[in-house]
Each structure stands twice: as C-alpha cells, then as structure tokens.
C-alpha cells in the first residue's frame, strides 16, 4: 500500500473515533497498523489472545487489546509525507509550574534516597509528567516526525476512544518470544550523548543496570532451560546514552507467556527493588497516576513463518518452514498522551543510594527533550 493511502486510512479511522494502533519496529522500514472495526474495549485475560496489547504500569489494572480478528491489518514500507516537516508551534505555558514541579521532584528523589539508605529499598524509579500546550495537535503529524527522528526506537501511535491517545518512541524492549526462544533487554543508566559512544560510566549507572539484569535472571530462573547474558553495551537513544545487556534463553515447555510477563513486569528498569515495595513507594509518593507510561505494548501471539536455522537450503527443507507464535513487547518510555490541545510528557529515572537530586532532575529534563523535539 502506498504511504498516502496508508496514512489516509489512519486519519479516517481517527476521524471516525475508531480504535487503531500504528507502529514501526526498531531499525525496520515497514510501518504496520491495526484498525479495529468497532469501538468495543477488549482486554487480555491470560495473554493467549492475538492482537496488539497495551498494558498499564500497575499490573493490577487491565491490559487493553486490539484483537486481530476484529481489525484490518495494513502496512506500508515508507513514509512520504508533505506535512511531517511542518513545525507545530509549542508554547510552554507552565514555566511557573515547572519550578514547582522541580521542587516536588527533587523532594521525591530525596525521599527515595532516604528509603534506600534506610534499607527499605535498593532501587526505585521515580517519574513525573509535564504538560505542554500545542497550537496544533494532529497526532498523525507528530507520529510521522517521530518516525523520521527515531529510526532505532519502537515508534507508535495508539488510540482508543474510551482510553485516549498515546504516542512514543521507546528504546526499550521488554521481551521477544518466538516459539519457546526468547530475549529480554536490561536497559538502565543514562547520560547525555555528546558525539561518541566511547564514554565512562560511573558506578551508580553500572549498579542500577546490573540490578535489572540480576532481577531478570532471578525471576526467570525456574522458567528457563539455560540462558546467556551478553556483555554490557553503550547504546544511543535519541540525545541519550544507556547501558544495555541482552538475556537470551529457552523457556521450559510448560511455562506460559502470562507467567513470564507476571515474573518480569514491572522490571527494576521502570519500578525498582524489591519490586512490590518499590511499586508501593511509587504509588504513594509520585503524586500522579502513570497509567500506561512504563507499562508495555506490542504484538501478542502474532503468527510468523520461521525457516529452520541450519540445514541444507533445498526444496525439501523449505517444506519444514513452520509457523510460530511471536510476541514482541516494548516498555512504554519516551511517550506522551495527547488530550485536546495538550501533550502530557512522562519522564523518570532510576534512583539508587548515590543519586543526586539535581542531576536526576536534569536527567528527566534531557529525557523530556526526546518528545519535545518533535512537537
Ligand atoms: C524511566 C525511564 O527510563 C528508564 C530509566 C533509565 C535510567 O534511570 O537511567 C534508563 C532507561 C530506562 O530504563 C524514562 O525514560 O522515563
């Protein structure tokens, strides 16, 4: 489908207030969309359903599903758009609120550090939201800018008339599962990108990233056959750098996707350690509802044709190509919600015993630029 037709269909869907999701996976060209043909609100019961899942931070809240069987699936392989370079004017009307917001956030961070020093927590990810007034708020235009700006992110725009409209460009994969093989990303630690990947990381960042890797292994130990952990790598995400490792493993045959997701989400990359205590600290102290920020989203139980990994490439062998269930979920970071003429941007960072409130505040400011730069 041409990109004009593709985006026309998305615009029509939005205009008719029907649910849809449009997205592009990291470093890929194809842009996919699901257009739901009614306004019903569907939820996943046990993650055996097929569709695009949109899950909140608090796992006690329900995960929304755009089921494939009531949706039209469309795709295009490029974005050719006249409008994406138009600049939407931003007027930041909350400069006053911003100094209040800084005081609130730095106090929150100090409270987090105190809880860690008192041994109530080991790590906690603390966040805030920021409102920006938009003069023009066409989400499809903003989505195209995100596509053009963040090639290595998972870029999406998700809409349901009964929930709202979310957009984002996240650098973080929660999990990829193909059959019983899976990989999980442990991403944490942040510094500004200053032209090179060759940078020095402080112990604070190394430690907070290690917490995430250890958590993944500890929590999945009984569910997996064996596992491999990659070396720690510095990766670029927009104007920022993070530390990343990949954990790959084979799931035991009797383990369900629901068990894996329950064991993982929310990871210490977005919540903290111990998980339940950190979550309670967040719910009690952040002073707002994260909703879908730091939740996860993506393709649930999509069918993909997989060829055998080795063996002779002959016709006989090709007959063995199998259809496997594939799930690719991303953590909902570097995201915003659009309500009327307002963009609500969500940003946070990991707090450990050696966190400094001023630099943690600055980190959220840098993270907010990922989204602000396309508004
Ligand atoms: C919480 C966010 O990001 C997470 C926190 C990070 C950190 O504390 O360094 C880095 C990447 C993400 O795991 C966010 O972007 O809002």
């Amino acid at each position: 489908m041409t990109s004009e037709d593709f985006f026309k269909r998305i615009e029509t869907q939005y205009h008719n207030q029907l649910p849809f999701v449009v997205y592009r996976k990291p470093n890929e060209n194809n842009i996919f969309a699901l257009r739901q043909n009614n306004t019903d609100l569907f939820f996943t019961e046990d993650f055996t359903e097929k569709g695009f899942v949109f899950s909140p931070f608090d796992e006690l809240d329900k995960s929304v599903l755009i089921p494939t069987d009531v949706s039209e699936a469309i795709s295009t392989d490029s974005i050719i758009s006249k409008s994406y370079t138009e600049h939407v004017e931003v007027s930041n009307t909350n400069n006053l609120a911003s100094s209040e917001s800084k005081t609130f956030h730095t106090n929150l961070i100090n409270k987090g550090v105190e809880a860690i020093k008192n041994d109530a927590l080991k790590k906690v990810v603390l966040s805030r939201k920021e409102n920006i007034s938009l003069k023009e708020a066409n989400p499809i235009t903003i989505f195209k800018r995100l596509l053009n700006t963040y090639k290595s992110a998972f870029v999406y725009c998700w809409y349901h008339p009964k929930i709202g409209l979310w957009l984002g460009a996240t650098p973080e994969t929660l999990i990829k599962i193909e059959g019983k093989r899976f990989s999980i990303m442990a991403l944490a630690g942040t510094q500004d990108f200053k032209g090179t990947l060759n940078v020095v990381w402080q112990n604070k960042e190394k430690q907070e990233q290690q917490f995430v890797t250890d958590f993944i292994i500890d929590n999945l130990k009984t569910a997996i056959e064996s596992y491999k952990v990659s070396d720690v790598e510095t990766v670029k995400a927009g104007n920022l750098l993070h530390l990343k490792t990949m954990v790959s493993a084979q799931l035991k045959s009797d383990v369900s996707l629901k068990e894996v997701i329950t064991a993982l989400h929310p990871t210490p990359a977005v919540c903290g350690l111990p998980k339940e205590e950190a979550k309670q600290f967040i719910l009690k102290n952040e002073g707002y509802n994260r909703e879908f920020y730091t939740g996860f989203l993506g393709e649930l139980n999509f069918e993909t044709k997989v060829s055998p990994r080795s063996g002779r490439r002959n016709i006989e062998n090709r007959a063995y190509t199998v259809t496997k269930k594939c799930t690719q979920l991303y953590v909902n970071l570097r995201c915003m919600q659009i309500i009327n003429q307002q963009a609500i941007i969500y940003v946070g960072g990991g707090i450990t015993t050696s966190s400094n409130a001023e630099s943690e505040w600055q980190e959220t400011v840098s993270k907010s630029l990922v989204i602000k730069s396309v508004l």
Side-chain angles (χ1 to χ4, degrees):
M1 181 179 291
T2 67
S3 78
E4 271 82 4
D5 283 347
F6 179 87
F7 283 109
K8 216 176 277 166
R9 288 201 200 189
I10 305 293
E11 295 271 5
T12 309
Q13 186 81 354
Y14 185 47
H15 186 255
N16 294 337
Q17 297 187 22
L18 285 163
F20 70 87
V21 61
V22 51
Y23 58 97
R24 188 186 65 198
K25 294 177 193 169
N27 304 309
E28 288 192 10
N29 286 326
N30 284 341
I31 306 161
F32 296 98
L34 282 180
R35 303 199 314 155
Q36 193 175 307
N37 60 25
N38 57 41
T39 55
D40 293 352
L41 191 53
F42 297 97
F43 299 105
T44 54
E45 294 296 328
D46 53 11
F47 294 97
T48 55
E49 301 87 351
K50 188 177 163 195
F52 192 99
V53 68
F54 197 55
S55 275
F57 164 68
D58 191 343
E59 74 274 25
L60 299 178
D61 294 339
K62 288 178 167 177
S63 296
V64 183
L65 186 79
I66 298 187
T68 43
D69 60 1
V70 293
S71 306
E72 181 199 27
I74 54 172
S75 70
T76 186
D77 61 3
S78 63
I79 28 163
I80 305 151
S81 161
K82 293 174 200 106
S83 56
Y84 75 82
T85 46
E86 283 168 21
H87 202 77
V88 177
E89 258 184 77
V90 182
S91 58
N92 194 344
T93 50
N94 62 343
N95 281 339
L96 196 67
S98 149
S99 81
E100 278 168 28
S101 158
K102 181 172 178 181
T103 309
F104 184 88
H105 196 68
T106 46
N107 284 340
L108 176 67
I109 290 160
N110 287 331
K111 223 188 248 184
V113 174
E114 208 175 298
I116 294 166
K117 290 201 165 133
N118 291 336
D119 286 332
L121 301 172
K122 266 172 81 179
K123 172 182 174 178
V124 61
V125 178
L126 296 173
S127 69
R128 63 183 178 91
K129 62 178 187 175
E130 194 173 321
N131 289 6
I132 303 221
S133 299
L134 302 168
K135 283 217 174 130
E136 186 240 285
N138 179 350
I140 314 299
T141 308
I142 299 173
F143 174 69
K144 286 177 187 166
R145 289 207 196 100
L146 284 173
L147 287 174
N148 279 286
T149 316
Y150 300 116
K151 300 274 191 292
S152 60
F154 178 82
V155 179
Y156 79 91
C157 175
W158 184 97
Y159 172 71
H160 196 296
K162 293 173 182 156
I163 304 269
L165 188 135
W166 287 74
L167 285 144
T170 177
E172 186 164 347
T173 301
L174 177 66
I175 188 164
K176 268 190 202 178
I177 305 192
E178 197 183 276
K180 288 285 168 189
R181 278 208 342 257
F182 74 89
S183 62
I184 303 176
M185 185 188 284
L187 191 86
T190 304
Q191 61 176 283
D192 288 339
F193 174 67
K194 292 183 181 136
T196 174
L197 290 180
N198 203 352
V199 294
V200 175
W201 290 95
Q202 302 302 317
N203 285 336
K204 189 246 161 191
E205 282 82 26
K206 288 187 194 161
Q207 185 197 38
E208 66 174 306
Q209 197 275 338
Q210 187 65 46
F211 280 157
V212 184
T213 311
D214 293 348
F215 169 91
I216 291 170
I217 294 163
D218 283 353
N219 282 266
L220 286 180
K221 250 190 330 231
T222 55
I224 55 184
E225 302 284 359
S226 60
Y227 65 89
K228 267 199 280 185
V229 184
S230 74
D231 289 339
V232 187
E233 203 187 326
T234 299
V235 289
K236 181 174 176 287
N239 55 327
L240 301 169
L241 295 176
H242 300 300
L243 283 171
K244 171 181 117 174
T245 49
M246 294 300 296
V247 179
S248 47
Q250 183 91 13
L251 277 182
K252 286 185 181 161
S253 54
D254 57 344
V255 176
S256 69
L257 181 56
K258 186 178 178 187
E259 288 169 79
V260 175
I261 291 174
T262 311
L264 286 179
H265 175 71
T267 72
V270 294
C271 180
L273 281 170
K275 174 163 145 177
E276 201 42 46
E277 284 81 349
K279 188 179 137 195
Q280 289 316 320
F281 186 94
I282 290 167
L283 296 178
K284 185 165 170 244
N285 294 293
E286 272 189 343
Y288 84 100
N289 184 353
R290 288 187 180 190
E291 297 182 30
F292 293 90
Y293 161 64
T294 62
F296 59 86
L297 74 165
E299 294 176 349
L300 187 66
N301 299 311
F302 273 42
E303 267 140 32
T304 312
K305 287 208 161 57
V306 186
S307 315
R309 276 199 295 166
S310 57
R312 285 164 296 144
R313 285 204 198 162
N314 54 25
I315 306 244
E316 227 175 289
N317 217 352
R318 255 177 251 156
Y320 290 115
T321 302
V322 283
T323 305
K324 281 194 176 169
K325 273 191 187 168
C326 237
T327 292
Q328 300 194 14
L329 304 176
Y330 299 85
V331 186
N332 197 13
L333 299 173
R334 319 293 143 82
C335 62
M336 72 181 132
Q337 201 183 355
I338 294 187
I339 303 178
N340 302 320
Q341 296 295 105
Q342 292 251 311
I344 305 165
I345 297 177
Y346 297 82
V347 279
I351 308 304
T352 65
T353 183
S354 43
S355 284
N356 167 279
E358 179 63 34
S359 21
E360 295 294 348
W361 162 260
Q362 215 40 59
E363 181 175 318
T364 64
V365 172
S366 296
K367 282 177 176 166
S368 74
L369 297 179
V370 171
I371 290 299
K372 282 184 185 163
S373 68
V374 299
L375 294 179

